[in-house]
Amino acid sequence: MLSDSIKQNIQTAYRAYLEAKGHKARVGQRQMIATIARTLGAIKQGTEGERLGEKHVAVVEAGTGTGKTLSYCLSAIPIAKEKGVKLVISTATVALQEQILHKELPSLLELTDYSFRYTLAKGRGRYMCLNNLEGFLGAEEQATDDMFAGLFEQHLAADDINTALYQEMDEALESGKWDGDKDNWEGIIREQDWRRLTTDHQQCTNRNCANFSVCPFFKARAELETADVIVANHDLVLADLSLGGGAILSDPKETIYVFDEGHHLPDKAISHFRHEVRLQQSISWLKQLDKNLINLRQELTNEVSLTGQILLKIPQQIQSTINFIQYVQQGLAPFIQELGLDQDSRQHRFEFGVIPDELRQLAYSLAMSYQKLFKQIENIQDECKKVKQNEGMGIKEDTAESWLPILGVILGRLETCTELWKLYSALDDQQYPPNARWLLVVGQGMDQDIELGGSPILAAHTLRMQLWDKCFGAVVTSATLTALNEFHRFNMRSGVPRESEYLRVISPFDFANKGTLIVPDMEVEPNQADAHSKELIRYLNDKVDPLLGSLVLFSSRRQMEEVAAGLKDTLKDILLIQGEQSKRIILETHKEAIDAKKGSLLFGLASFAEGVDLPGDYLTRVYIAKIPFAVPDDPVEATLAEWIQRRGGNPFMEITIPDASLRLVQATGRLLRSENDSGEIHILDKRLRTKRYGSQLINSLPPYKQI
């Protein structure tokens, strides 16, 4: 139960914040604060502070303008402190992360009596690895790297290495002007230059590293220990959970999570556990690995060592693995022949994710073979670590230091392959949704390869086991958690406990008077692609005002380019197309045009239908080319549809329509970004008027005035 002191603390802080900002209390915001506080405050603790009971998750859909960030910060921070647990606020976008870090949390400290420490958590990929930097600045270390040319995808030729940049970074680190965080570097860094300087959990040698005490990543990690509030992102949280929890962030059982933009969490989780491996590429890589391990044998001392014994066995293990891959290639030949060379999609999806027994047995052999190879390389890595502790034999210290990160890269790749083959060798539990499994033919002629892919079709079970069951408490919030006005879609995909607290907070915006929804009488349906594109061109040429800020959202790049080519000159002159420049530059250019009292016309795809914030005159017209149905050939969604149909459901009504509803709400949500905004939304799809599901989709939208 929520204590009186915490209740009083939250109420006082809320009044102080509103008074300082000159705002009035919002009904929806107060509902959200109360629901989160009631849910988290009611969590009972055992003698060691552990959670007792199951009702520890709040799911809140908060319409645009609710002020959800303030709501969960006001309610969750004091409760987390009182219960002695960390608060991890996780977002899906950098923009929201920066808003919370640089605006919301500082304001809360300044305007209320709250006292808390906060910090930002990032993955290793955002920090400089000092070992890698030293390697590119030292000729001797570079020679070691050159021995591995072709083994690693990120290998660069010597003349591609940006030595001048690396020297500048080294000087900035030495002088204390830079902390090794990519986001704090003042200059521009090419992705290929930065990628060479980062590391991951396999390559990182932690305390065995000579630079551990000054490592930018571990210095940042130390701040997490003292922080009350940690701002992170969904990918980092999922990465931590996949490592068992507590490896990067705080232990889940000692953590309250807030997932803002929480509708992204299920899809992020699926992509996190999705694996793809190319067969011929794997064979080439293993052969290259075999050649390169000879270098390590040549660098061993004359002492008898475990490393030497392992290196003698590895070639046989590599050859065994290659043999199994070749057997798989032979076994897949009939499926490849069925695809033909003239088909648009050279993909074969195994129905219900079930693969032939012979292939599954080969997959099991491959999983075991890769696992054995992984263990052998890991044992060599352990021996290199022992050398650093003056306990190893047969390896010189400088050899061990240069090989540790290389072995980490090898282990990372072996781990990916092992996971794919484990997924292919497993018999899916009939109690849960199956895994999707498919093959894709890539390349032509001598470059042709077979890519095998596998993925869960729902993240519900994984999230339930690794997150919801383990965490102390959680809040999931977003402006779009319901589909067709129900939480069913999110529940099915996320696996949140049924005992969770649910709340829908209606946006305070005056949709009926500020937004107009127009569904014109179109002549053709979007499935008549060419005719629909021509009709879009006629409509936009007639309706788009070249003096206003407008956004047109497409479901396919091909149609977007066709329509762009058919626009009249006055619209082409103000046209900005997604992909021609970075998203940031396109939006800045659009704003500059509107500020200069000129018009601007944006053409965008799915990523412009969410997260684009253009308030006021920056956007007064939104045109949506068609209902945003999912791509029909995605193997994960297709397997999910099969599974639902086998259970007696209707995939179109249970998946396709709810998904489209969610995307349509997000797309129309680009128009009204503040209480003073106004404008029009045009949806150029006649199915909204002619199909039964059309009224369902319209009714799931905010209550715009309809024409």
Side-chain angles (χ1 to χ4, degrees):
M1 184 176 177
L2 190 65
S3 68
D4 290 337
S5 60
I6 288 293
K7 189 184 299 184
Q8 182 64 38
N9 195 6
I10 293 172
Q11 291 173 347
T12 302
Y14 187 39
R15 284 195 296 269
Y17 189 95
L18 293 177
E19 185 177 338
K21 289 282 189 178
H23 295 166
K24 294 182 179 180
R26 298 173 180 173
V27 174
Q29 191 171 56
R30 293 177 65 175
Q31 289 177 329
M32 185 172 178
I33 293 170
T35 297
I36 294 172
R38 184 172 61 250
T39 302
L40 300 180
I43 298 174
K44 296 179 181 178
Q45 293 175 276
T47 54
E48 297 183 4
E50 74 278 13
R51 169 174 57 81
L52 301 176
E54 292 301 316
K55 197 167 184 178
H56 60 293
V57 179
V59 181
V60 183
E61 180 179 81
T64 306
T66 300
K68 62 181 185 299
T69 308
L70 175 63
S71 299
Y72 61 67
C73 285
L74 273 171
S75 49
I77 289 174
I79 293 174
K81 289 195 68 175
E82 182 186 59
K83 294 185 178 293
V85 297
K86 299 277 189 183
L87 177 64
V88 172
I89 301 174
S90 177
T91 75
T93 61
V94 174
L96 180 56
Q97 196 176 58
E98 291 179 345
Q99 177 186 327
I100 293 168
L101 196 71
H102 302 304
K103 181 180 177 182
E104 305 292 350
L105 293 177
S107 291
L108 207 57
L109 282 173
E110 178 187 353
L111 304 178
T112 71
D113 290 334
Y114 280 8
S115 175
F116 58 90
R117 290 165 292 187
Y118 65 92
T119 191
L120 175 66
K122 304 178 186 179
R124 282 182 173 88
R126 308 302 296 179
Y127 295 97
M128 159 84 67
C129 171
L130 295 176
N131 270 2
N132 287 351
L133 178 63
E134 291 173 358
F136 288 110
L137 294 177
E140 184 177 342
E141 288 80 356
Q142 186 58 48
T144 301
D145 186 73
D146 285 343
M147 291 191 296
F148 286 81
L151 181 58
F152 308 124
E153 292 165 0
Q154 67 266 43
H155 181 84
L156 297 173
D159 58 357
D160 287 333
I161 296 169
N162 196 338
T163 306
L165 173 66
Y166 296 161
Q167 287 175 338
E168 185 181 354
M169 288 179 166
D170 187 50
E171 292 169 3
L173 287 165
E174 287 287 334
S175 64
K177 294 180 180 178
W178 185 48
D179 59 0
D181 183 336
K182 180 185 180 184
D183 299 318
N184 293 335
W185 181 256
E186 292 185 356
I188 297 172
I189 308 176
R190 295 186 309 170
E191 185 57 34
Q192 59 264 40
D193 292 333
W194 180 254
R195 189 170 62 246
R196 296 292 290 170
L197 299 179
T198 61
T199 189
D200 58 29
H201 77 282
Q202 286 289 3
Q203 298 177 61
C204 180
T205 56
N206 297 308
R207 295 185 181 277
N208 292 300
C209 177
N211 290 308
F212 177 78
S213 62
V214 290
C215 171
F217 172 70
F218 282 102
K219 287 171 72 174
R221 275 283 304 276
E223 294 184 17
L224 301 185
E225 300 296 325
T226 58
D228 302 302
V229 180
I230 300 169
V231 181
N233 59 58
H234 298 346
D235 288 319
L236 187 61
V237 172
L238 290 166
D240 183 55
L241 294 174
S242 69
L243 294 171
I248 304 171
L249 303 169
S250 50
D251 192 311
K253 67 176 182 289
E254 299 170 357
T255 305
I256 292 174
Y257 295 93
V258 173
F259 294 101
D260 203 340
E261 300 173 315
H263 63 282
H264 284 290
L265 189 62
D267 288 338
K268 289 275 188 184
I270 285 179
S271 64
H272 197 78
F273 296 103
R274 177 176 177 142
H275 302 286
E276 285 121 347
V277 167
R278 294 188 179 184
L279 302 186
Q280 194 56 45
Q281 188 182 76
S282 296
I283 291 174
S284 300
W285 184 82
L286 286 166
K287 288 179 177 178
Q288 187 70 44
L289 174 62
D290 192 20
K291 291 178 182 178
N292 290 124
L293 287 174
I294 295 172
N295 295 318
L296 182 53
R297 290 205 296 270
Q298 293 173 345
E299 294 185 29
L300 296 180
T301 67
N302 293 326
E303 292 179 279
V304 177
S305 67
L306 177 61
T307 299
Q309 296 172 16
I310 294 172
L311 285 171
L312 290 174
K313 298 177 182 177
I314 283 182
Q316 182 180 353
Q317 190 59 45
I318 287 178
Q319 188 56 52
S320 176
T321 308
I322 290 173
N323 290 342
F324 283 127
I325 296 175
Q326 290 172 336
Y327 293 147
V328 170
Q329 288 176 317
Q330 294 170 15
L332 293 174
F335 297 103
I336 305 302
Q337 291 170 2
E338 288 178 11
L339 293 176
L341 294 173
D342 57 345
Q343 293 188 16
D344 291 336
S345 175
R346 304 193 67 197
Q347 175 182 278
H348 173 82
R349 182 181 58 81
F350 297 98
E351 290 188 2
F352 300 106
V354 177
I355 59 176
D357 284 341
E358 183 181 356
L359 178 57
R360 189 171 55 79
Q361 291 166 9
L362 282 171
Y364 176 79
S365 298
L366 263 168
M368 294 301 101
S369 191
Y370 267 113
Q371 206 162 25
K372 189 172 182 180
L373 189 54
F374 180 95
K375 188 62 179 176
Q376 290 172 327
I377 300 294
E378 190 176 46
N379 285 337
I380 295 176
Q381 186 187 56
D382 290 341
E383 288 300 301
C384 288
K385 291 177 181 179
K386 288 180 182 178
V387 172
K388 301 281 289 181
Q389 299 161 356
N390 299 316
E391 296 176 5
M393 293 177 61
I395 309 175
K396 292 180 286 190
E397 185 173 348
D398 59 343
T399 301
E401 186 170 332
S402 63
W403 271 79
L404 274 170
I406 294 169
L407 293 170
V409 175
I410 296 170
L411 287 172
R413 180 136 185 184
L414 292 175
E415 186 177 45
T416 297
C417 293
T418 302
E419 290 303 315
L420 183 279
W421 293 114
K422 278 184 178 179
L423 192 148
Y424 262 69
S425 65
L427 280 172
D428 293 333
D429 191 329
Q430 296 301 306
Q431 296 181 57
Y432 302 106
N435 289 290
R437 297 176 179 89
W438 66 92
L439 67 83
L440 182 68
V441 179
V442 295
Q444 297 288 339
M446 296 296 292
D447 294 328
Q448 181 173 295
D449 204 345
I450 302 170
E451 181 178 276
L452 290 183
S455 170
I457 60 172
L458 291 175
H461 180 61
T462 300
L463 287 173
R464 182 70 186 251
M465 297 292 290
Q466 295 194 14
L467 174 59
W468 312 124
D469 285 354
K470 288 184 177 180
C471 72
F472 184 86
V475 176
V476 185
T477 186
S478 169
T480 48
L481 285 178
T482 62
L484 301 176
N485 300 311
E486 295 181 349
F487 284 101
H488 174 73
R489 177 191 182 278
F490 181 75
N491 289 350
M492 179 182 72
R493 293 180 179 268
S494 70
V496 292
R498 292 182 180 179
E499 305 82 9
S500 302
E501 187 80 23
Y502 293 90
L503 174 69
R504 288 191 73 191
V505 177
I506 306 302
S507 170
F509 293 171
D510 185 3
F511 293 100
N513 292 310
K514 296 288 189 176
T516 301
L517 176 63
I518 300 170
V519 183
D521 292 322
M522 306 293 284
E523 295 178 4
V524 298
E525 291 189 1
N527 56 6
Q528 298 175 254
D530 292 340
H532 185 244
S533 293
K534 291 176 181 177
E535 192 171 11
L536 288 179
I537 292 169
R538 291 195 296 272
Y539 189 88
L540 295 175
N541 280 336
D542 181 50
K543 298 294 184 181
V544 174
D545 188 331
L547 298 178
L548 299 178
S550 303
L551 168 65
V552 186
L553 294 169
F554 295 89
S555 296
S556 78
R557 180 171 294 278
R558 179 180 175 181
Q559 186 175 61
M560 180 173 73
E561 292 171 349
E562 287 177 351
V563 173
L567 292 179
K568 60 186 181 183
D569 290 342
T570 53
L571 295 184
K572 284 183 179 178
D573 290 342
I574 61 170
L575 180 62
L576 296 168
I577 303 177
Q578 181 181 354
E580 292 188 348
Q581 292 176 301
S582 73
K583 185 176 181 179
R584 179 182 60 82
I585 291 176
I586 285 176
L587 293 177
E588 287 178 356
T589 304
H590 173 84
K591 289 180 178 179
E592 288 171 1
I594 301 301
D595 288 339
K597 305 302 180 184
K598 300 176 182 177
S600 180
L601 175 60
L602 291 170
F603 270 25
L605 299 168
S607 63
F608 270 62
E610 183 181 0
V612 170
D613 191 18
L614 296 170
D617 291 339
Y618 290 133
L619 187 60
T620 58
R621 298 289 185 274
V622 175
Y623 301 86
I624 300 171
K626 61 181 179 180
I627 299 169
F629 287 123
V631 179
D633 60 353
D634 178 75
V636 176
E637 292 297 316
T639 306
L640 175 59
E642 267 183 345
W643 176 71
I644 287 176
Q645 193 165 22
R646 184 169 62 180
R647 300 171 77 236
N650 182 332
F652 186 74
M653 297 308 298
E654 292 185 40
I655 303 175
T656 308
I657 294 299
D659 286 1
S661 167
L662 189 70
R663 295 189 186 99
L664 204 56
V665 171
Q666 290 167 345
T668 59
R670 296 314 94 211
L671 181 67
L672 304 184
R673 306 303 300 170
S674 74
E675 294 183 19
N676 297 322
D677 290 356
S678 62
E680 296 175 358
I681 299 166
H682 301 241
I683 306 179
L684 311 178
D685 192 330
K686 69 179 298 182
R687 292 173 296 184
L688 286 174
R689 291 189 179 276
T690 61
K691 301 295 185 183
R692 277 194 308 174
Y693 58 77
S695 59
Q696 286 182 278
L697 292 173
I698 289 177
N699 291 338
S700 69
L701 297 175
Y704 300 109
K705 181 174 67 175
Q706 295 185 35
I707 296 180

